[in-house]
Amino acid sequence: MLATKLINVGDIQTVDVDTPQPKRGDIVVKVEAAGICGTDRHLFKGEFPSFANTVLGHEFSGIVVDAGSSKLEIGTRVTCDPNTWCGACDQCRKGRVNLCVNNIATGIARDGGFAEYCAFPAHKAHVLPPDLNPLYGAFCEPLACTIHGMDIGDARAGERVIVIGGGVIGLLAIQLAKLAGAQVMLLTRNQDKQQLGQSLSADFAASTPQEALERWPDGADLVVECAGVEATVKMSPSITRTGGRIVILGVLPQGTQVSIEPFDLLFREIQMHYSFLNPFTHERASKMIANGVVNVAPLITREISLNDVAQVIATEASNGEVRAIAVP
Ligand code: NAP
């Protein structure tokens, strides 16, 4: 079968490989859709710890073709929660499974979804309905991560929320904030993404923090950083209301330093939180995708074939692109 492998940092290829054989506890799915995420580009560039000779793809769904010893029926559509916690380390035993020191992520540490078939642990499969658009299953993983961030941020009805970054994570975050009853502003530079955000329920859009403050001079009760660059983390306190909260979802390259003024955070008692991965949120994400509560169709910029995945990962996303989805 065809699969896109990270051979090594800087070397990614779509190659012929053996069809995966399920190990004990695994199922095998025929992949229907797999999203190309910024993390895949970080892995390619060596900005993220990676594993040589591994099939990438951690945002995917497919049809069960081998149910192993699980109770799943052949033909069931499932989404894969890529993060397989050990359950035994100190953090897992405290319930902080996303901090598991032995986490094995499908599509990073073991072969993933940029392939015709993928084997992964049966207990990491979440069922999706048969009549769902097959492409939508690829959004369960980013939505699960966004739900965790929004749980931490705890947007409340009537509050003001600024979401920074009009990529997939930001465009999902505005929808979750809106569903919570908040008034929402999307801060992103690209005009098309601003318009997309507003069509997906953002009340306002801004290109800069200054523009955001012109509309909301006191800032927002909650700022959700979904861009993952130094400038956006740095600007977050300046657009947060006194007594407000910030949640950083964006991933900055390891070693990046950001200058923050603790005096300001202390005097205005601004809580700065971080959100990592998807602890126990994948099932909720699957349900939201299944019942259409979040709108993911406009987030699909293009469909590509497996043969194009390596090239797309090795190239920066074009301005305005939200998600390219590989359809094996
Ligand atoms: P993305 O597609 O790169 O979107 C980020 C957006 O930020 C870009 O579209 C860009 O849009 C905007 N941006 C960049 N610089 C900006 C600036 N100076 N001011 C305002 N907006 C700016 O990424 P994504 O897939 O949505 O992911 C977002 C971040 O979350 C990434 O860092 C990703 O690694 C991270 N992530 C974290 C988790 C987690 O568990 N914490 C999970 C998944 C992803 P414009 O060009 O319009 O500005």
Side-chain angles (χ1 to χ4, degrees), residues 36-39 41-42 48 58-59 141-142 144-146 148-149 163-171 187-194 206-209 225-232 235 248-252 274-278 317 319-323:
I36 291 175
C37 154
T39 303
R41 294 193 172 93
H42 287 307
F48 237 74
H58 59 277
E59 301 181 353
E141 196 273 346
C145 292
T146 313
H148 180 49
V163 173
I164 309 176
V168 165
I169 302 294
L171 293 168
L187 197 170
T188 199
R189 297 160 306 176
N190 182 288
Q191 301 283 318
D192 293 341
K193 288 183 183 169
Q194 290 183 12
S207 306
T208 60
E225 195 284 332
C226 308
V229 294
E230 189 185 335
T232 50
M235 74 174 66
I248 310 286
L249 268 145
V251 179
L252 278 71
Y274 292 84
S275 171
F276 185 50
L277 301 181
N278 56 345
N319 208 5
E321 175 152 302
V322 181
R323 233 351 151 247

Side-chain angles (χ1 to χ4, degrees), residues 32-34 61-63 77 128 130-139 325:
E32 290 189 296
S61 57
I63 300 290
R77 174 171 288 131
L128 291 171
D131 56 350
L132 185 77
N133 181 327
L135 299 187
Y136 296 179
F139 289 92
I325 304 280

